[in-house]
Amino acid sequence: MTDVKHMKWWGWGVEGVGFHFEDKPDFVPFVQKAVALDVRTPPVPPLSFDQLTVAPPRLSPSFEAELVAIVGEDNAHTSDEVRVVHTYGKSIRDLLRIRRNEIARVPDIVVYPADEWDVQQIVDAAVSQGAVIIPFGGGSNIAGSLEPLPDEQRTIVSLDLGRLNQVLEIDEGSGLARIQAGAQGPDIEEQLGAKGWTLGHFPDSFTHSTLGGWVATRSSGMQSDKYGDIADIARGLRMVRPGTVVELRPLPSTSTGPSVREMIIGSEGRLGVITEVTVQVHRTPEVREVQAYFFPNWKAGLAAMHEISESDASPSVTRVSDARESGFSLATRKASKGVTGAAQSVLMSVLKRRGWVLDDMCLSFIGYEGAASHVSYEKKLVGAIVKKHGGIGVGKGPGALYDQKKFDTPYLRDFLLDRGAAADVSETAAPWSRLQEVYDTTVAAAQRAYDALGVHGWIMCHLSHSYHSGACLYFTFAFVHGDDPIAQYEVVKYSIQQAFQDAGGTLSHHHGVGVEHAPWMEQDISAGGVALIQGLFDSADPQHLFNPGKVLGPVQLGKADVELLVESTDAKRAVPAPAEH
């Protein structure tokens, strides 16, 4: 049995780790107010694995023997549990389907290659058999980028890159590192850190996602303000295709026609299997700290983040939560005692005397990295901007806690699912001039969806990933679901995604397209843009063997279809099936 690390089949992360509210006194009343749920209600655990209905593999003995000969018996698996682990990502739709025993199609075999040559042999064997190939990294995707098409009749091979997990080489003179695509975030930072380097890419999924997955879905990390998105970080790569390897050298810049590198980044396995990426790395900073700030309201926080992006300051993190998410963050704190608790009470009293409405208060985290003198200089620049917009600094204590707990939030979804509530996220990016409109439009659209469903719902947001021209808005939404949670989820999700388009945002900033966001591709990049991508996929993969259905999807929803879906008050209504493009 392979020793590749996997998340549990029914939820996020590893067995034995979960969210607990007993030491967070404000959490129970917060959730009661937000979604009318008493979290003290005894949880309903997921099904046991033996309750799942898993179809047997559709796999010829000769093809199975050929794959086993390539990777060895210990690295080719047809067991139900291994196949189910490789069926879905970790979106709320994925978790609901697993928990409801709704598994339409699973991979027929999971293979774990040891190196690029193994990958080449697997790809060539699968193509010769007319089998589908779905590359698999950490399984953390929440956009439906992993799932097989439900009506797929061909054999499906899940190609897990987990054994390709090494930093192969560091070019210290150039600040470049060659890293295998299956390396997960902690593996990368441990190996780089041992030699004094960091990649600086820390998405929410960091502990369970891979470099290849980041590139394939155009990921962004929490410190992208300093280090860039993965499209900036990935300078070269290797990708296996039938009978060949695409090799892109890590050159600082080239003028060689349309960028093949850009075609591959975000391609979600549609063009081949990424086996290796050369990334730009940085020396481990002398100082790294995250400072916390409060702003009197969301408008002030947005204005401050905008001004910081235009200033000489270059923080690694610029994040501000709206009042709702700030309230959530404060509700998940542990009980404060002694001096700390007294200091918090004094601070709230001071803010009230200043005329702040505490329910409108917004929490911000700003990160700094570099030499001590540089960090000191940047903190002064940012501090002046924060003060100009009515904000105050509250030190690095809250920031340190955020830094420690930033990868734990996904566990909260499992906690809520156990209690009959669905929670998920959608994120977008828009120019600074449109951010407030995107925010207002999205919040209003979500509320209309909740009203149509007759549920008490919640939506909250934070700004992160600032750029010269705009920023990312990251929304979290939740509600207590009924007997058909997926249909209800679709009403809310589709409302939010359409609001992004209506207000001038994009369908996703860093989660990718998969099948979840494919219905909005034409609205996002135009019919001409869709035709270009479709032409690329058809030419590069005429048999549609490489992760078919992702990015453009099997169908496209028009805006009218979405509006009809949202207007329906029937929670059990199916998603309309528009004409294929």
Side-chain angles (χ1 to χ4, degrees):
M1 177 67 177
T2 178
D3 59 358
V4 171
K5 297 173 290 186
H6 293 117
M7 287 189 276
K8 57 197 177 208
W9 63 268
W10 56 268
W12 182 264
V14 297
E15 295 281 359
V17 179
F19 178 85
H20 300 280
F21 69 90
E22 290 80 6
D23 57 349
K24 304 171 182 67
D26 296 330
F27 186 74
V28 172
F30 175 87
V31 177
Q32 182 70 50
K33 177 182 178 182
V35 294
L37 172 68
D38 186 347
V39 298
R40 295 167 297 188
T41 302
V44 178
L47 301 172
S48 62
F49 189 83
D50 58 13
Q51 292 177 284
L52 296 184
T53 303
V54 183
R58 305 177 186 180
L59 180 69
S60 71
S62 59
F63 184 36
E64 180 178 2
E66 187 175 6
L67 294 175
V68 169
I70 295 169
V71 298
E73 288 187 7
D74 289 343
N75 298 300
H77 298 275
T78 58
S79 69
D80 287 352
E81 185 163 350
V82 173
R83 292 164 56 225
V84 166
V85 165
H86 289 77
T87 297
Y88 293 135
K90 298 299 181 183
S91 74
I92 197 68
R93 189 201 298 269
D94 296 332
L95 300 182
L96 284 168
R97 285 184 292 185
I98 284 284
R99 286 166 174 256
R100 292 167 63 85
N101 192 20
E102 297 175 2
I103 308 174
R105 184 71 168 92
V106 298
D108 299 299
I109 187 169
V110 179
V111 292
Y112 297 85
D115 52 29
E116 186 179 272
W117 174 236
D118 279 1
V119 175
Q120 185 73 71
Q121 293 182 87
I122 293 165
V123 166
D124 291 345
V127 170
S128 70
Q129 293 284 332
V132 167
I133 305 159
I134 302 181
F136 190 96
S140 65
N141 182 266
I142 62 170
S145 300
L146 292 172
E147 65 186 71
L149 294 179
D151 57 353
E152 182 60 73
Q153 299 300 308
R154 298 169 293 184
T155 296
I156 299 173
V157 178
S158 179
L159 201 162
D160 191 312
L161 279 295
R163 296 173 69 197
L164 281 71
N165 60 7
Q166 297 300 304
V167 174
L168 300 174
E169 178 186 9
I170 300 176
D171 177 352
E172 299 202 359
S174 304
L176 295 169
R178 289 176 51 224
I179 305 175
Q180 292 179 306
Q184 296 189 2
D187 301 326
I188 294 170
E189 286 300 319
E190 181 180 357
Q191 293 176 63
L192 290 177
K195 297 183 179 180
W197 296 88
T198 182
L199 182 64
H201 190 72
F202 298 99
D204 286 354
S205 62
F206 172 78
T207 53
H208 301 289
S209 55
T210 64
L211 175 58
W214 299 340
V215 172
T217 56
R218 198 173 283 273
S219 169
S220 189
M222 297 177 184
Q223 296 173 205
S224 63
D225 287 23
K226 175 179 175 65
Y227 296 104
D229 300 324
I230 201 66
D232 305 305
I233 293 170
R235 305 313 310 158
L237 56 82
R238 294 176 65 87
M239 183 179 73
V240 170
R241 287 186 39 75
T244 190
V245 175
V246 177
E247 179 181 5
L248 302 179
R249 295 173 293 151
L251 300 170
S253 185
T254 65
S255 179
T256 52
S259 172
V260 177
R261 185 180 69 93
E262 279 290 310
M263 293 179 192
I264 295 172
I265 296 173
S267 59
E268 301 189 16
R270 292 296 307 266
L271 299 176
V273 182
I274 298 167
T275 56
E276 181 183 308
V277 186
T278 301
V279 294
Q280 56 191 30
V281 292
H282 302 262
R283 291 289 184 184
T284 304
E286 175 188 346
V287 175
R288 181 179 185 278
E289 65 179 63
V290 179
Q291 291 277 339
Y293 304 85
F294 281 129
F295 289 96
N297 52 57
W298 175 241
K299 183 178 180 180
L302 287 186
M305 298 305 114
H306 187 189
E307 187 165 342
I308 291 169
S309 76
E310 295 178 326
S311 74
D312 290 335
S314 55
S316 59
V317 178
T318 49
R319 173 175 174 142
V320 61
S321 297
D322 70 358
R324 290 184 170 204
E325 187 171 282
S326 299
F328 166 77
S329 296
L330 296 174
T332 56
R333 295 177 304 175
K334 294 183 178 181
S336 298
K337 300 178 181 179
V339 176
T340 301
Q344 290 175 358
S345 297
V346 170
L347 174 61
M348 295 301 113
S349 297
V350 169
L351 295 178
K352 282 184 179 179
R353 288 199 298 271
R354 290 188 181 185
W356 285 35
V357 178
L358 298 187
D359 286 344
D360 294 338
M361 185 174 66
C362 293
L363 176 62
S364 172
F365 294 111
I366 299 179
Y368 306 91
E369 291 189 10
S373 58
H374 175 74
V375 168
S376 178
Y377 169 72
E378 297 226 313
K379 286 164 64 176
K380 289 179 182 178
L381 291 178
V382 170
I385 294 171
V386 170
K387 184 177 180 180
K388 174 183 174 181
H389 292 279
I392 62 166
V394 290
K396 59 184 180 181
L401 184 60
Y402 158 77
D403 213 25
Q404 294 168 12
K405 300 295 183 181
K406 61 191 175 186
F407 302 129
D408 294 342
T409 304
Y411 285 103
L412 181 56
R413 292 186 309 160
D414 295 335
F415 173 88
L416 291 173
L417 277 173
D418 289 347
R419 291 157 178 81
D424 211 7
V425 296
S426 282
E427 29 69 66
T428 187
W432 288 108
S433 59
R434 302 295 295 272
L435 283 181
Q436 186 66 53
E437 180 184 356
V438 171
Y439 175 82
D440 291 339
T441 302
T442 303
V443 171
Q447 190 56 58
R448 286 196 301 272
Y450 293 141
D451 291 344
L453 293 171
V455 300
H456 188 160
W458 179 259
I459 186 167
M460 59 188 184
C461 177
H462 67 258
L463 176 149
S464 58
H465 312 289
S466 295
Y467 306 89
H468 175 74
S469 62
C472 165
L473 291 181
Y474 192 109
F475 292 85
T476 301
F477 56 95
F479 60 95
V480 177
H481 63 72
D483 294 335
D484 197 346
I486 293 177
Q488 290 181 303
Y489 162 79
E490 286 170 347
V491 171
V492 181
K493 172 74 172 181
Y494 280 51
S495 299
I496 290 170
Q497 292 295 136
Q498 189 58 48
F500 293 165
Q501 296 296 313
D502 293 342
T506 184
L507 60 83
S508 177
H509 171 261
H510 58 264
H511 286 155
V513 184
V515 296
E516 284 264 322
H517 299 144
W520 289 271
M521 281 292 282
E522 186 170 311
Q523 292 185 59
D524 205 281
I525 66 172
S526 80
V530 168
L532 275 175
I533 294 179
Q534 188 68 64
L536 172 63
F537 289 165
D538 289 344
S539 174
D541 181 23
Q543 298 182 73
H544 294 234
L545 297 177
F546 287 93
N547 206 13
K550 310 314 184 298
V551 181
L552 295 183
V555 296
Q556 294 284 316
L557 287 186
K559 183 177 178 180
D561 297 311
V562 175
E563 290 174 344
L564 283 172
L565 175 68
V566 174
E567 288 172 3
S568 171
T569 57
D570 181 2
K572 295 185 178 181
R573 176 177 175 175
V575 179
E580 295 187 8
H581 64 83

